[in-house]
Amino acid sequence: FGGVWTQDGNYSDLDGNRTHGGKGLYGALELALLSASGSTKLDAFVSYSVGDPTVSALLHQFLIGVRLGSFWPRRPQDSMGLMYSRIRPNGRLDPIIPEPESTGEFYYRLRLTPWFSIQPDFQFIHHPGGQWQRRDAFVALVRMELVF
């Protein structure tokens, strides 16, 4: 799927000037690479978006990733995935931001009960915020899902 977004109304652009409207493009594709009833599932996705340089903090965003599910017979509801993203910040916000930010991510989602899952997630970020002088970052977090 894909499309065009527009924003109506009057507001300030990134230079502080009053402007009317904004626009951008986006597209995404999901693909089942491997899928069979009761067995391992492998999905892939890709996404790309372009922002309006007068009003958007991000000019371009590219994402690509894969998700592997039902790969272990003892834990058929678990899944894991890998993702890579590259984001080009808008230099109009700060002319010192010349570099895109790149992120690699890995997660493992454990479905512990039909109503509770926990997901450790690890990310490596190169040029955080698009600033080359910042040190690369390693982020670890845990997400929890409660279904009721």
Side-chain angles (χ1 to χ4, degrees), residues 116-133:
F116 182 70
S117 297
I118 191 164
Q119 178 177 310
D121 187 296
F122 304 96
Q123 302 173 9
F124 175 77
I125 305 169
H126 181 61
H127 292 143
Q131 298 186 9
W132 62 269
Q133 69 273 26

Side-chain angles (χ1 to χ4, degrees), residues 27-141:
L29 175 67
E30 278 191 44
L31 184 62
L33 301 175
L34 176 65
S35 182
S37 180
S39 68
T40 302
K41 295 171 180 55
L42 180 63
D43 302 317
F45 70 89
V46 62
S47 171
Y48 183 74
S49 62
V50 179
D52 186 329
T54 60
V55 296
S56 297
L58 303 176
L59 294 180
H60 306 276
Q61 181 176 26
F62 171 74
L63 298 135
I64 189 167
V66 293
R67 183 181 80 72
L68 182 64
S70 302
F71 55 91
W72 190 19
R74 293 180 137 187
R75 303 208 44 87
Q77 298 298 316
D78 287 4
S79 63
M80 66 177 155
L82 290 170
M83 187 271 304
Y84 170 79
S85 73
R86 188 165 174 95
I87 299 170
R88 169 68 69 177
N90 193 338
R92 292 179 71 178
L93 285 173
D94 185 349
I96 298 176
I97 303 178
E99 297 293 328
E101 174 184 287
S102 298
T103 302
E105 180 176 2
F106 169 78
Y107 77 86
Y108 188 96
R109 181 175 181 263
L110 295 116
R111 185 165 181 191
L112 300 175
T113 70
W115 49 269
F116 182 70
S117 297
I118 191 164
Q119 178 177 310
D121 187 296
F122 304 96
Q123 302 173 9
F124 175 77
I125 305 169
H126 181 61
H127 292 143
Q131 298 186 9
W132 62 269
Q133 69 273 26
R134 287 191 179 164
R135 292 178 47 192
D136 293 341
F138 181 76
V139 179
L141 56 114

